[in-house]
Amino acid sequence: MSVSINQYSSEPQTTEIKTSTKIKTTSIKVRERKMLTTQNLHIRYGQNAVVKGINLSVGQGELVAVVGPNGCGKSTLLKALAKLETPHQGEVFLSGNSLAKLNRKKLARKIALLPQHPVAPEGITVEELVGYGRYPYQSLLRQWSKEDARIVADVMARAQVNQFAKRRLSSLSGGQRQKAWLAMVLAQQTPLLLLDEPTSALDMGHQIEVLKLIKEQTASNTSILIVMHDLAAAARYADRIIAMKDGKIIADGKPQQVVTSALIRSLYSVDANILEAPCDGTPVIVAKSEPEQPSRLPQMSPDSDTTKPTKPEKLVA
Amino acid sequence: MELTRFQQHYCFRFAHYSVLIHPKQILVALFLFILLAAACLIAIVNGSAKMSAFTAIEVLTGGGDAMSKMLVEQIRLPRITAALIAGFALGLSGCLIQTTIKNRLATPEIIGVNDGATAAVVLVSALSMSGTWAWWIGPIGAVCAFIFLALLAGQPGREGYRLIVIGMALAELLRSGSDLTLSMQEMHLVNGLYVWKNGSLSGQGYEVSLPVLAGIGICVPLLITLSRRLKAMQLSDDTVKTLGVSLGFTQVLILFLAVITAGLACGITGPIAFVAMAAPIFASYLTIPNSVPVWLSGLVGALLVLLADTIARSVSISQQEIGVGIITSLIGGPFMLWVLLRDSAEDK
């Protein structure tokens, strides 16, 4: 699937900024042109600051990957963008409108979120699950319109789950299940998709299938923000990578510029070589083999901040 | 007008309206109505004074002798009505609370709602000294107990267990409060109250059913408009919200309706245990997956209370009748054990 080149046209045009006094109005213009922007976003859980002053933007039809170590605030950020967390400070703007002023009903037609561990009702079939994506368009006397039926059939075909339509979700494999969930989110037909680690639990084949499906949506000008761990996959499929550490953005740019061994060291405390993929030159990360470790245990303990959060994920995976 | 299928549903479309109907749900409702009719007949026939089914039908169709007529119309029918309406209210309330808290054990009798209603009725009736029975304070007591529980628990916790455990402690506290109040009164004054406190439909006329019926009447239209949200609430909280449901407001509204309904039923009949837990579980076995059986739970609840009351009337061992609440507790204890064991087996 080719991606049109003009997707970067949404970047601010410098010719518009004529005098420095107009900076404020221009930033509002930029805000309006971007699908999603945040301004100095802070989020706290009690006294614990999780997101500390995030400024980011997602253009129309842009696919942005957010990477970073476990516990860096990626998922919390994503929740705040979907209005599931209230910012302690700062604001989120959707096409220039403050998220705080949009009600949930309107928001459901603008932002769709796929959480990390979604829960489905017992015994639900794939088609019924995907049908839930039409909820924002339905009402008591408009329970299943022709349009609903058409769109559900369409997204199931795109996600390649139409052959499982009548099967129970619980009877499918992890990869097929994830595609069904993605189809549900697509049925919501929103201009912005927020995806929390949609590929983390999948095998390589399903991972590529799911990422391709996600990438295809940008052709219809859908903006996508995706949280993921696989940097190489992020570099291949995303237009832009945002790297987060300790609640802050430490890098934001095109994959080739962002993915460096310095970044890997800073994010994960891992020394790595960055190679170029033979086919298309996207960065490939290879961790350097560690030299002899006579003092492995003393090395681990001071870094308890970075080593601890990785443990639960290994158990889940 | 157009008729198509969606999964097992029939979809009726007219202009830009469309409604989904599942044939199985209608069949199950019909089946339950037939069972209810049969149970009513059994309830009319049985009791301290037996009569034949033939006589009962004769009376119902307008014939019969004066004695049977009096027995059916003045004593048994009002009591059956009270049992049906209280049971419907309990089943409805149980289904709503279970769905909102997302745990089978979250029912009015477990989380202290029934005990709040009971304590309020006992306290007000005892303090008024007039020997009257203050059923109307039941829903107020239930709401107060639930607000207190919400403040104590703060949040439902993982799968609602925080709310349930704190609710159980609160229920125990409230129960001992009403026991203490009762024990401080003179025996002859509180005899009726004591029978009521064990859950009893004895000697009830049509008038006791009216408040509960009114409560259900308010619930019905509200729940029809909330039915879509109830169904969506089966998904995880984050998903429900991003689909456009104001979850917090919806939860508070549904719980308020459920607690008022349970409080009204409790005020009239006394605390009838386990019906609110069992009815939605039976109803979910009868219905299709991915649905919230609000109305079927009500019908099953009505059936359970009516059957329990018929047993209570028929098998009186001593001079005094056994309360319907005692019968449901007898059946309910093992049932709850079964629910707990089944849930832990599913977790494995």
Side-chain angles (χ1 to χ4, degrees), chain B residues 21-155:
Chain B
I21 288 167
H22 199 291
K24 188 176 171 188
Q25 277 174 316
I26 293 174
L27 286 177
V28 169
L30 273 175
F31 167 72
L32 284 174
F33 274 118
I34 293 167
L35 278 186
L36 276 173
C40 285
L41 197 62
I42 294 170
I44 291 171
V45 170
N46 282 292
S48 46
K50 294 247 188 302
M51 73 168 69
S52 72
F54 180 73
T55 329
I57 291 167
E58 206 176 44
V59 172
L60 287 176
T61 49
D65 58 296
M67 185 61 197
S68 317
K69 219 177 163 72
M70 207 273 289
L71 186 65
V72 171
E73 284 173 4
Q74 305 291 315
I75 297 171
R76 289 192 181 160
L77 275 183
R79 185 166 174 167
I80 288 167
T81 311
L84 289 177
I85 288 174
F88 189 87
L90 286 173
L92 192 76
S93 172
C95 179
L96 294 178
I97 299 180
Q98 285 178 350
T99 309
T100 315
I101 309 288
K102 294 186 174 169
N103 194 316
R104 292 286 198 206
L105 294 177
T107 53
E109 68 265 20
I110 302 261
I111 62 170
V113 168
N114 278 2
D115 300 282
T118 313
V121 172
V122 167
L123 200 66
V124 171
S125 305
L127 288 181
S128 68
M129 291 296 214
S130 56
T132 54
W133 153 61
W135 60 267
W136 48 269
I137 197 83
I140 300 171
V143 170
C144 287
F146 191 76
I147 290 174
F148 191 55
L149 170 64
L151 290 176
L152 278 180
Q155 45 159 7

Side-chain angles (χ1 to χ4, degrees), chain B residues 297-335:
Chain B
S297 300
L299 292 178
V300 174
L303 188 65
L304 290 179
V305 173
L306 182 58
L307 289 178
D309 187 51
T310 309
I311 295 172
R313 283 192 291 124
S314 310
V315 288
S316 46
I317 298 152
S318 63
Q319 286 287 309
Q320 199 146 23
E321 230 179 70
I322 306 171
V324 58
I326 292 170
I327 299 288
T328 59
S329 293
L330 270 175
I331 305 166
F335 181 79

Side-chain angles (χ1 to χ4, degrees), chain A residues 52-97:
Chain A
K52 306 163 186 170
I54 296 277
N55 290 296
L56 62 77
S57 68
V58 181
Q60 284 188 4
E62 199 179 9
L63 174 55
V64 178
V66 179
V67 299
N70 290 343
C72 73
K74 300 177 302 250
S75 294
T76 310
L77 172 69
L78 210 64
K79 282 187 176 185
L81 300 181
K83 210 185 171 182
L84 299 173
E85 295 285 349
T86 319
H88 170 67
Q89 198 188 321
E91 249 181 302
V92 181
F93 297 94
L94 191 70
S95 310
N97 303 311

Side-chain angles (χ1 to χ4, degrees), chain A residues 161-182:
Chain A
V161 289
N162 43 355
Q163 69 267 38
F164 311 123
K166 308 268 185 270
R167 292 241 323 250
R168 289 193 172 195
L169 188 72
S170 52
S171 73
L172 301 187
S173 75
Q176 291 159 348
R177 218 177 296 164
Q178 190 66 331
K179 284 196 275 183
W181 277 105
L182 202 59

Side-chain angles (χ1 to χ4, degrees), chain B residues 66 217 281:
Chain B
I281 294 177

Side-chain angles (χ1 to χ4, degrees), chain A residues 125 127 132 141 143-144, chain B residues 2 7 13 18 20 242 290:
Chain A
T125 63
E127 192 176 13
Y132 269 116
L141 291 175
Q143 297 181 351
W144 189 245
Chain B
E2 185 194 325
Q7 298 275 307
R13 291 203 185 107
S18 52
L20 289 175
T242 51
N290 186 30

Side-chain angles (χ1 to χ4, degrees), chain A residues 119-135:
Chain A
V119 180
E122 242 173 79
I124 191 172
T125 63
V126 170
E127 192 176 13
E128 281 174 321
L129 179 76
V130 179
Y132 269 116
R134 300 303 298 162
Y135 186 92

